[in-house]
Amino acid sequence: MSLRCAGDIDTRSLEEMFINLDPIQAGGRLTSEAMKAVIAYADGYSVCDNCQKPARLDAISKPPLATFHKDLAAFVEMDEARLMPGARRGFQAVASSFVNPGDPVLVTSYCHYTTFVAVEVAGGVVYEIAASPDHYSTPDMVAERIEEVIAKTKRTPALLFLEEVDYQYGNVHPVKEMAAVAHQYDIPVLYNGAYTVGIKEVSGADFGVDFVVGSGHKSMAAPAPSGFLATRAEYADVVFRTSKVHGDLTGRNFPVKEVELLGCTLMGNTSVGMMASFPHVKERVKHFDKEVARANKIIDALLSIEGMEVVSEYPRKHTLTRMNSEKCFDPIAKKHKKRGFFLISALRERHVTGIIPGSTKVWKMNSFGLTDRQADWVADAFLEIAEAEGLHVNR
Amino acid sequence: MSARAVDAVFQGLYLLTDVRMMIRKSVPDHVLTEDEKKTLAKTLDKVEKQIAVLREELLA
């Protein structure tokens, strides 16, 4: 019987027992600093002990959330930032501020589903930008789609959502050039940094985007749900506008509360965990090249298995990678007693996990945060499995 | 009120968190280098000191 936290809740010891390649979990593993902060701030409204006027999260000085907000904006070279319960709430805040019902909104073919939903909530209409056959979004495709949408709807798109690194292929897209195209039409641009901010260096100013959204739990070693929305000063009063309404009976009003945030957002261990990891995160982005080198080392080893293909751009420029094993592992699955589950089962026997159970055709992995030794372990595990199943490996 | 006991609880948890992170860093076989073993031994000594404080403060 496994150790329980409480009742029927198992202790989660996956990160202590396995090398975890789950694409969405790699960048969100906590630092020791965040673990300690979470212990100390585990209670509900724990960061509110010293909340004074103005009663708002970004004004709290103990713990130093006010400073953290400024540091976050500076980190991505934008003017203002607010903590959000995940990147998705950043998308929603911007969509809600800039999209009116019926407005066309541009997204890429690789945008996250929450982008769709954020536009839907605002009443906008999603128009997707086509991708190239080799899985890139391009400035030409952005321009082409803008022209098509204007011709069709007689309206200029209200917003463009872009991602520098997409969640499907982990490819690096030319954000700066795409944003420049959108700005020729005065379309505000939101940079989705869910797979970049906290992983690699990001400059919203250099990209020339209007908003930067980051994910704490995906890429900034923070508990979920956490993230932030940063903006250029020009749009701060719009997206961080404060409440104007008054109660009709009591006359109450809440003029310091920012409506898109519904007042305060991360009032406990999420914000303090994100803040505790921040010094480490600021440092680790400077060493992204080492992470990429490690990813390439693993992928190179995987490609030594006959029939294995990398679907993402190669050599890799990011640690999230999409593989295709239809010509090697999938034929094994067809005759294996465990069917498609043989791969994850064999990986787990070697203390590696994070590949979607049952997948032997196309699957993703993310090696971010592994040590050199762990990267070698992962590579060896795959090669051992291939050889054990009779596949040829070009060692 | 024993601020010393409260500090000892947190310090003990923080030290054990450091141990947890060593386990994570050495996953999956948890083989430590000689330097890591020295660090771990020192950390465990410190945990024992915190437990001693708790015994002294709360059980005496």
Side-chain angles (χ1 to χ4, degrees), chain A residues 59-116:
Chain A
I60 292 174
S61 58
K62 191 177 177 185
L65 283 161
T67 305
F68 181 46
H69 280 77
K70 290 183 174 62
D71 291 347
L72 268 176
F75 179 54
V76 291
E77 298 189 352
M78 298 294 275
D79 298 315
E80 290 266 345
R82 296 289 186 275
L83 292 175
M84 303 297 283
R88 63 191 67 194
R89 293 294 183 181
F91 306 156
Q92 187 180 18
V94 176
S96 172
S97 300
F98 287 85
V99 179
N100 293 311
D103 277 351
V105 177
L106 292 174
V107 303
T108 73
S109 291
Y110 304 119
C111 76
H112 193 249
Y113 78 90
T114 53
T115 316
F116 272 52

XYZ file of all heavy atoms in Angstrom, chain A residues 59-116:
445
model
N 0.463 45.317 -4.395
C 0.939 46.380 -3.503
C 1.482 45.818 -2.193
O 2.001 46.571 -1.363
C -0.191 47.359 -3.221
N 1.379 44.513 -1.986
C 1.848 43.907 -0.730
C 3.376 43.914 -0.688
O 4.031 43.461 -1.625
C 1.300 42.459 -0.599
C -0.223 42.492 -0.399
C 1.978 41.719 0.543
C -0.880 41.119 -0.407
N 3.892 44.452 0.416
C 5.360 44.536 0.504
C 5.965 43.440 1.387
O 7.174 43.234 1.375
C 5.786 45.916 1.012
O 5.194 46.152 2.255
N 5.133 42.751 2.168
C 5.640 41.665 3.007
C 4.660 40.508 2.977
O 3.587 40.658 3.557
C 5.830 42.169 4.432
C 6.593 41.209 5.309
C 6.809 41.785 6.689
C 7.507 40.727 7.540
N 7.650 41.155 8.926
N 4.956 39.433 2.304
C 6.152 39.139 1.499
C 6.245 40.087 0.294
O 5.235 40.681 -0.080
C 5.925 37.684 1.053
C 4.445 37.512 1.058
C 3.946 38.352 2.193
N 7.438 40.189 -0.291
C 7.703 41.281 -1.251
C 7.055 41.113 -2.632
O 7.740 41.093 -3.663
C 9.228 41.291 -1.340
C 9.639 39.899 -1.039
C 8.647 39.374 -0.036
N 5.734 41.036 -2.640
C 5.028 40.847 -3.911
C 5.064 42.097 -4.793
O 5.064 41.989 -6.030
C 3.577 40.429 -3.647
C 3.429 38.962 -3.238
C 2.092 38.718 -2.548
C 3.577 38.046 -4.443
N 5.079 43.266 -4.159
C 5.131 44.509 -4.956
C 6.412 44.537 -5.789
O 6.394 44.801 -7.001
C 5.048 45.721 -4.044
N 7.498 44.238 -5.138
C 8.784 44.199 -5.849
C 8.785 43.093 -6.898
O 9.293 43.274 -8.017
C 9.938 43.944 -4.842
O 9.857 44.937 -3.831
C 11.286 44.002 -5.515
N 8.202 41.962 -6.554
C 8.166 40.832 -7.483
C 7.428 41.203 -8.768
O 7.857 40.836 -9.874
C 7.505 39.630 -6.803
C 7.422 38.398 -7.651
C 8.519 37.943 -8.384
C 6.252 37.656 -7.728
C 8.446 36.796 -9.170
C 6.161 36.512 -8.494
C 7.255 36.086 -9.226
N 6.338 41.928 -8.635
C 5.605 42.352 -9.838
C 6.492 43.205 -10.751
O 6.491 43.027 -11.974
C 4.345 43.139 -9.449
C 3.189 42.275 -9.048
N 3.099 41.660 -7.828
C 2.074 41.905 -9.734
C 1.972 40.962 -7.767
N 1.337 41.094 -8.916
N 7.222 44.121 -10.142
C 8.119 44.974 -10.944
C 9.231 44.136 -11.583
O 9.592 44.323 -12.749
C 8.724 46.079 -10.062
C 7.717 47.128 -9.628
C 8.387 48.237 -8.819
C 7.430 49.370 -8.508
N 6.274 48.980 -7.690
N 9.751 43.198 -10.797
C 10.823 42.333 -11.309
C 10.338 41.469 -12.474
O 11.081 41.216 -13.426
C 11.359 41.422 -10.199
C 12.130 42.189 -9.136
O 12.457 43.371 -9.386
O 12.385 41.619 -8.062
N 9.093 41.008 -12.366
C 8.533 40.186 -13.445
C 8.449 40.978 -14.747
O 8.804 40.472 -15.822
C 7.124 39.718 -13.066
C 6.972 38.383 -12.367
C 5.503 38.161 -12.003
C 7.469 37.238 -13.227
N 7.951 42.212 -14.640
C 7.842 43.062 -15.838
C 9.230 43.278 -16.442
O 9.418 43.169 -17.662
C 7.182 44.385 -15.485
N 10.194 43.564 -15.578
C 11.563 43.806 -16.061
C 12.154 42.541 -16.689
O 12.888 42.611 -17.685
C 12.445 44.284 -14.912
N 11.822 41.397 -16.112
C 12.359 40.114 -16.582
C 12.027 39.874 -18.054
O 12.840 39.339 -18.806
C 11.765 39.006 -15.701
C 12.182 37.604 -16.044
C 13.532 37.260 -16.130
C 11.232 36.611 -16.235
C 13.910 35.954 -16.421
C 11.597 35.315 -16.517
C 12.941 34.987 -16.612
N 10.830 40.271 -18.457
C 10.435 40.059 -19.859
C 10.470 41.367 -20.652
O 9.942 41.451 -21.758
C 9.036 39.401 -19.968
C 9.092 37.969 -19.480
C 7.979 40.186 -19.214
N 11.092 42.386 -20.040
C 11.273 43.687 -20.692
C 9.954 44.274 -21.185
O 9.804 44.627 -22.360
C 12.335 43.583 -21.792
C 13.682 43.190 -21.207
C 14.842 43.261 -22.179
O 14.609 43.470 -23.376
O 15.991 43.116 -21.718
N 9.024 44.330 -20.219
C 7.751 45.006 -20.451
C 7.572 46.025 -19.324
O 8.442 46.162 -18.458
C 6.601 43.987 -20.475
C 6.699 42.947 -21.586
S 6.543 43.615 -23.264
C 4.759 43.655 -23.453
N 6.452 46.757 -19.332
C 6.316 47.860 -18.381
C 5.550 47.517 -17.104
O 5.896 47.984 -16.027
C 5.633 49.048 -19.083
C 6.474 49.555 -20.246
O 7.705 49.695 -20.068
O 5.930 49.773 -21.338
N 4.495 46.737 -17.233
C 3.661 46.412 -16.069
C 3.351 44.922 -16.094
O 3.170 44.357 -17.182
C 2.327 47.164 -16.130
C 2.421 48.645 -15.908
C 2.180 49.046 -14.452
O 1.663 48.231 -13.668
O 2.542 50.187 -14.118
N 3.261 44.339 -14.921
C 2.909 42.907 -14.863
C 1.974 42.644 -13.693
O 2.010 43.353 -12.680
C 4.167 42.055 -14.726
N 1.140 41.637 -13.865
C 0.270 41.169 -12.784
C 0.299 39.649 -12.762
O 0.357 38.999 -13.806
C -1.188 41.608 -13.011
C -1.416 43.099 -12.986
C -1.290 43.703 -11.594
N -1.655 45.122 -11.620
C -0.819 46.116 -11.943
N 0.446 45.845 -12.251
N -1.238 47.359 -11.943
N 0.223 39.129 -11.558
C 0.141 37.673 -11.421
C -1.241 37.200 -11.845
O -2.246 37.856 -11.560
C 0.407 37.269 -9.971
C 1.835 37.505 -9.490
C 1.951 37.194 -8.009
C 2.816 36.662 -10.289
N -1.275 36.071 -12.518
C -2.541 35.515 -13.011
C -2.591 34.029 -12.645
O -1.541 33.381 -12.534
C -2.637 35.642 -14.540
C -2.500 37.048 -15.090
S -3.796 38.191 -14.572
C -5.140 37.678 -15.616
N -3.792 33.478 -12.509
C -3.901 32.041 -12.242
C -3.694 31.224 -13.524
O -4.613 30.611 -14.053
C -5.330 31.872 -11.711
C -5.936 33.223 -11.702
C -5.085 34.153 -12.485
N -2.497 31.262 -14.037
C -2.172 30.532 -15.264
C -2.147 31.450 -16.466
O -2.770 32.520 -16.477
N -1.420 31.023 -17.497
C -1.331 31.807 -18.732
C -2.715 32.036 -19.330
O -3.023 33.109 -19.860
C -0.429 31.087 -19.737
N -3.556 31.030 -19.212
C -4.896 31.100 -19.835
C -5.679 32.304 -19.346
O -6.448 32.904 -20.079
C -5.649 29.795 -19.604
C -5.935 29.452 -18.161
C -6.443 28.022 -18.015
N -5.419 27.034 -18.341
C -5.668 25.746 -18.560
N -6.903 25.289 -18.477
N -4.700 24.898 -18.842
N -5.511 32.646 -18.066
C -6.236 33.804 -17.525
C -5.643 35.113 -18.054
O -6.316 36.140 -18.079
C -6.215 33.774 -16.000
C -7.005 32.613 -15.419
C -8.481 32.743 -15.704
N -9.246 31.660 -15.096
C -10.555 31.517 -15.207
N -11.271 32.383 -15.917
N -11.175 30.504 -14.640
N -4.394 35.042 -18.463
C -3.799 36.203 -19.142
C -4.409 36.377 -20.520
O -4.753 37.494 -20.934
N -4.586 35.253 -21.230
C -5.240 35.326 -22.555
C -6.641 35.921 -22.391
O -7.076 36.772 -23.166
C -5.417 33.931 -23.189
C -4.181 33.086 -23.298
C -4.283 31.699 -23.371
C -2.918 33.654 -23.346
C -3.158 30.898 -23.473
C -1.793 32.860 -23.445
C -1.916 31.482 -23.506
N -7.319 35.409 -21.358
C -8.712 35.828 -21.146
C -8.794 37.322 -20.830
O -9.666 38.015 -21.359
C -9.327 35.018 -20.007
C -10.812 35.268 -19.832
C -11.409 34.460 -18.690
O -10.699 33.964 -17.808
N -12.719 34.321 -18.703
N -7.879 37.805 -19.994
C -7.905 39.223 -19.623
C -7.703 40.112 -20.845
O -8.390 41.133 -21.018
C -6.821 39.500 -18.580
N -6.783 39.723 -21.696
C -6.498 40.538 -22.891
C -7.658 40.437 -23.886
O -8.105 41.461 -24.435
C -5.160 40.114 -23.536
C -4.916 40.881 -24.835
C -4.015 40.351 -22.570
N -8.152 39.223 -24.092
C -9.279 39.063 -25.022
C -10.487 39.850 -24.528
O -11.149 40.551 -25.305
C -9.622 37.582 -25.174
N -10.755 39.767 -23.256
C -11.904 40.460 -22.684
C -11.761 41.977 -22.818
O -12.753 42.690 -22.948
C -12.027 40.060 -21.210
O -12.997 40.830 -20.561
N -10.528 42.453 -22.808
C -10.281 43.901 -22.897
C -10.302 44.419 -24.323
O -10.606 45.591 -24.549
C -8.919 44.234 -22.281
O -8.871 43.853 -20.933
N -9.959 43.580 -25.278
C -9.752 44.077 -26.653
C -10.715 43.521 -27.693
O -10.749 44.025 -28.811
C -8.308 43.781 -27.096
C -7.308 44.655 -26.418
C -6.808 44.314 -25.173
C -6.890 45.841 -26.999
C -5.901 45.137 -24.520
C -5.992 46.674 -26.359
C -5.494 46.325 -25.101
N -11.427 42.473 -27.319
C -12.282 41.821 -28.321
C -13.751 42.108 -28.015
O -14.226 41.820 -26.905
C -12.034 40.294 -28.338
C -12.942 39.619 -29.354
C -10.569 40.001 -28.629
N -14.445 42.655 -28.977
C -15.890 42.861 -28.856
C -16.610 41.731 -29.584
O -16.030 41.091 -30.473
C -16.280 44.204 -29.465
C -15.717 45.364 -28.655
O -15.852 45.396 -27.430
N -15.059 46.291 -29.331
N -17.865 41.492 -29.220
C -18.605 40.408 -29.896
C -18.559 40.561 -31.417
O -18.793 41.647 -31.951
C -20.026 40.577 -29.351
C -19.819 41.150 -27.984
C -18.649 42.092 -28.124
N -18.198 39.464 -32.062
C -18.139 39.456 -33.528
C -16.785 39.853 -34.094
O -16.535 39.686 -35.300
N -15.910 40.352 -33.259
C -14.578 40.749 -33.757
C -13.784 39.535 -34.225
O -13.744 38.509 -33.525
C -13.764 41.418 -32.645
C -14.091 42.886 -32.477
O -14.824 43.440 -33.318
O -13.602 43.471 -31.484
N -13.110 39.653 -35.353
C -12.188 38.573 -35.731
C -10.910 38.636 -34.873
O -10.443 39.729 -34.552
C -11.871 38.878 -37.201
C -12.148 40.330 -37.365
C -13.165 40.730 -36.343
N -10.420 37.465 -34.532
C -9.180 37.370 -33.751
C -8.286 36.336 -34.415
O -8.743 35.236 -34.752
C -9.472 36.949 -32.287
C -8.174 36.773 -31.512
C -10.367 37.969 -31.603
N -7.027 36.695 -34.590
C -6.093 35.783 -35.256
C -5.328 34.935 -34.255
O -4.830 35.448 -33.243
C -5.089 36.577 -36.093
C -5.641 37.303 -37.311
C -4.554 38.159 -37.935
C -6.172 36.298 -38.319
N -5.247 33.663 -34.571
C -4.435 32.745 -33.760
C -3.633 31.877 -34.734
O -3.983 31.779 -35.908
C -5.317 31.839 -32.864
C -6.208 32.677 -31.959
C -6.166 30.879 -33.695
N -2.605 31.231 -34.244
C -1.837 30.347 -35.124
C -2.451 28.949 -35.122
O -3.324 28.647 -34.307
C -0.364 30.226 -34.666
O -0.335 29.430 -33.483
C 0.249 31.591 -34.399
N -1.962 28.129 -36.009
C -2.447 26.738 -36.059
C -1.939 25.924 -34.871
O -2.314 24.770 -34.710
C -1.972 26.067 -37.353
O -2.622 26.638 -38.454
N -1.075 26.518 -34.081
C -0.496 25.795 -32.946
C -0.888 26.392 -31.605
O -0.296 26.063 -30.578
C 1.041 25.789 -33.064
C 1.521 25.210 -34.359
C 2.264 25.981 -35.243
C 1.199 23.900 -34.711
C 2.699 25.454 -36.453
C 1.622 23.377 -35.919
C 2.374 24.155 -36.783
O 2.784 23.629 -37.975
N -1.886 27.284 -31.617
C -2.224 27.924 -30.346
C -2.870 26.908 -29.402
O -3.466 25.921 -29.829
C -3.133 29.123 -30.568
S -4.836 28.693 -30.924
N -2.758 27.192 -28.131
C -3.346 26.337 -27.093
C -4.864 26.479 -27.123
O -5.379 27.538 -27.480
C -2.792 26.769 -25.733
C -3.050 25.806 -24.638
N -3.918 26.065 -23.600
C -2.545 24.572 -24.407
C -3.931 25.033 -22.767
N -3.111 24.121 -23.232
N -5.563 25.431 -26.693
C -7.036 25.484 -26.748
C -7.603 26.618 -25.914
O -8.675 27.159 -26.207
C -7.642 24.140 -26.316
C -7.660 23.889 -24.826
C -8.748 24.284 -24.048
C -6.586 23.274 -24.179
C -8.756 24.068 -22.683
C -6.595 23.057 -22.828
C -7.683 23.459 -22.075
O -7.690 23.248 -20.722
N -6.890 27.011 -24.869
C -7.401 28.085 -24.016
C -7.423 29.422 -24.748
O -8.141 30.332 -24.345
C -6.577 28.201 -22.717
O -5.192 28.314 -23.057
C -6.782 26.984 -21.834
N -6.641 29.529 -25.816
C -6.709 30.733 -26.651
C -8.078 30.782 -27.329
O -8.742 31.828 -27.344
C -5.594 30.705 -27.722
O -4.375 30.295 -27.115
C -5.429 32.055 -28.372
N -8.479 29.658 -27.894
C -9.815 29.567 -28.512
C -10.894 29.973 -27.508
O -11.781 30.768 -27.796
C -10.106 28.116 -28.949
C -9.643 27.753 -30.326
C -8.344 27.981 -30.727
C -10.515 27.160 -31.224
C -7.906 27.624 -31.994
C -10.100 26.801 -32.507
C -8.788 27.037 -32.882
